């Protein structure tokens, strides 16, 4: 096929962490294939009379920690003229993010392939969407009712409590029976019963085996996963919270989980997905901006970015018309 014109929507590229940024790994792979790149931030998007537009800037990336990008002059571009758009804006998944998915859906209807698909980004909350795969998950309750949360704690003895919109280990609480902080934790997370929150049975494997990120490309798992081992004094398996990274081969259980979830998400246009797995149970399904590429490839250079570009190219080759 002719040269692919790829747009990327991301947080400011000058502020990324060079050694860890998965989006940069994707862009380096796309550029190595001869694709042309254009750069956008969320603020560069708009709708005019139903047409999605962006203030695009030509982008060149480099594998150089001293300077990893060059940007050209901006130009107003109908987003439907791009072959593909990578939506890589990090959470929080707030109302501005939702509005952005509407703009991207108009671009999709005009002919651009958006990865991941805007409708899926809106529909698949990373914590709530586990409810579609209960056989893969630990006991989970999503509620605003603090009495129900307390009953769940009595049933399981030890639980994890989280907001539905959080990321990076923020506002994660672990409670045991008779914890005097129980009431204030439930009040804080639900705003006194005004907001939904999630509670899950505590999985003790987090302390020794960590929280494992399994990456899926077009429904298929990569052969290696990234385990995040919490610090001895912490419960959170998040690198942003100081967890230690460990790369290891996928277990049979993790392959089974990927087989249950991956094809269903790929069928809905979710080409790059991260499953968070603790003790053989999926705790989150990450679709907004999954990471882990650079950490895995430090030990196993398996060309993850290239694999994703191949999957995108296959999708582009099979797309005879805009998605309905």
């Amino acid at each position: 096929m002719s040269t692919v014109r790829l747009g990327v929507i991301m947080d400011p590229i000058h502020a990324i962490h060079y050694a860890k940024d998965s989006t940069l790994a994707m862009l380096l792979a796309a550029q190595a294939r001869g694709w042309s790149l254009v750069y956008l931030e969320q603020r560069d998007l708009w709708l005019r009379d139903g047409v999605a537009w962006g203030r695009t800037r030509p982008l060149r990336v480099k594998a150089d920690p001293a300077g990893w990008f060059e940007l050209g002059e901006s130009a107003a571009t109908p987003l439907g003229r791009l072959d593909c758009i990578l939506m890589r804006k990090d959470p929080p998944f707030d109302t501005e993010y939702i509005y952005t998915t509407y703009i991207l859906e108009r671009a999709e209807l005009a002919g651009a392939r958006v990865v991941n698909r805007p409708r899926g980004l809106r529909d698949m909350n990373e914590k709530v969407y586990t409810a579609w795969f209960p056989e893969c998950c630990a006991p989970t309750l999503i509620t605003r009712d603090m009495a129900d949360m307390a009953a769940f704690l009595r049933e399981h003895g030890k639980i994890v409590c989280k907001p539905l919109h959080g990321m990076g280990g923020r506002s994660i609480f672990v409670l045991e029976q008779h914890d005097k902080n129980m009431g204030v934790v439930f009040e804080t997370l639900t705003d006194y019963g005004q907001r939904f929150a999630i509670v899950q049975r505590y999985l003790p494997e987090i302390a020794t085996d960590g929280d494992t990120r399994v990456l899926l490309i077009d429904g298929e798992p990569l052969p290696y996963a990234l385990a995040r081992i919490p610090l001895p004094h912490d419960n959170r398996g998040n690198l942003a919270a100081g967890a230690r990274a460990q790369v290891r081969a996928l277990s049979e259980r993790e392959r089974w989980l990927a087989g249950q979830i991956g094809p269903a998400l790929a069928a809905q246009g979710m080409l790059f997905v991260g499953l968070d797995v603790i003790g053989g149970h999926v705790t989150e399904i990450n679709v907004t901006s999954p990471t882990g590429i650079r950490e895995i490839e430090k030990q196993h250079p398996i060309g993850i970015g290239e694999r994703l570009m191949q999957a995108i190219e296959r999708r582009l080759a099979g797309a005879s018309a805009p998605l309905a």
Side-chain angles (χ1 to χ4, degrees):
M1 62 188 305
S2 58
T3 299
V4 172
R5 193 174 188 207
L6 177 74
V8 61
I9 301 167
M10 59 187 292
D11 291 305
I13 193 168
H14 71 270
I16 65 174
H17 192 307
Y18 171 83
K20 294 184 177 181
D21 196 81
S22 291
T23 303
L24 181 60
M26 296 175 186
L27 295 173
L28 287 166
Q31 185 174 272
R33 295 174 69 83
W35 295 5
S36 64
L37 309 179
V38 296
Y39 169 86
L40 306 99
E41 296 176 21
Q42 206 169 11
R43 62 183 179 178
D44 295 320
L45 307 176
W46 74 92
L47 277 174
R48 174 66 188 266
D49 301 327
V51 177
W53 288 79
R55 193 165 288 105
T56 62
R57 284 171 280 181
L59 170 67
R60 285 196 58 79
V61 288
K62 298 178 285 184
D64 182 355
W68 52 86
F69 72 98
E70 296 174 357
L71 289 172
E73 295 296 319
S74 66
T77 305
L79 297 182
R81 292 183 184 174
L82 300 175
D83 297 297
C84 181
I85 301 170
L86 292 177
M87 177 48 173
R88 293 288 301 174
K89 171 70 179 68
D90 283 344
F93 191 91
D94 53 15
T95 52
E96 290 301 304
Y97 202 112
I98 291 172
Y99 298 147
T100 300
T101 67
Y102 290 129
I103 296 174
L104 291 176
E105 192 162 1
R106 294 303 300 172
E108 182 183 58
L109 290 168
R113 172 74 61 171
V114 183
V115 178
N116 285 321
R117 195 176 183 195
R119 187 176 300 174
L121 292 175
R122 281 200 305 274
D123 290 350
M124 298 177 187
N125 175 277
E126 305 195 332
K127 296 174 179 65
V128 179
Y129 201 66
T130 58
W132 271 248
F133 306 94
E135 70 281 4
C136 299
C137 304
T140 299
L141 171 68
I142 296 171
T143 185
R144 293 161 50 148
D145 192 296
M146 292 182 284
D148 287 347
M149 289 180 169
F152 190 86
L153 175 55
R154 290 193 297 273
E155 178 183 354
H156 293 287
K158 190 172 183 178
I159 62 173
V160 177
C161 314
K162 298 183 282 189
L164 293 179
H165 61 277
M167 62 167 288
R170 296 174 187 168
S171 302
I172 293 178
F173 299 89
V174 175
L175 292 176
E176 297 187 54
Q177 287 276 31
H178 311 303
D179 192 321
K180 292 183 179 181
N181 290 307
M182 177 185 71
V184 72
V185 168
F186 294 160
E187 291 164 3
T188 299
L189 289 178
T190 68
D191 190 17
Y192 294 87
Q194 300 304 304
R195 289 198 303 257
F196 285 100
I198 183 170
V199 292
Q200 297 168 316
R201 187 185 75 198
Y202 177 77
L203 299 167
E205 295 89 346
I206 181 69
T208 53
D209 298 334
D211 183 346
T212 300
R213 169 63 55 82
V214 177
L215 291 177
L216 311 178
I217 293 179
D218 207 0
E220 293 294 325
L222 296 176
Y224 300 98
L226 175 66
R228 289 80 54 93
I229 315 294
L231 294 170
H233 61 272
D234 206 328
N235 289 302
R236 297 171 297 173
N238 303 86
L239 298 182
R244 173 172 54 88
Q246 183 183 97
V247 179
R248 57 194 181 210
L250 250 60
S251 68
E252 285 303 312
R253 172 67 177 179
E254 288 161 351
R255 290 185 182 277
W256 182 84
L257 294 170
Q260 300 302 302
I261 298 173
L265 269 64
Q268 298 182 67
M270 314 309 282
L271 266 65
F272 192 67
V273 173
L275 306 181
D276 287 349
V277 180
I278 302 173
H281 299 278
V282 172
T283 60
E284 295 188 16
I285 300 173
N286 291 273
V287 299
T288 49
S289 186
T291 60
I293 291 178
R294 303 298 284 269
E295 291 86 354
I296 292 173
E297 292 212 317
K298 284 178 184 176
Q299 297 184 37
H300 299 281
I302 56 176
I304 299 172
E306 171 60 17
R307 291 181 186 216
L308 177 60
M309 296 310 126
Q310 290 174 1
I312 290 172
E313 191 166 59
R314 288 194 299 269
R315 290 285 185 131
L316 291 175
S320 56
L323 291 165

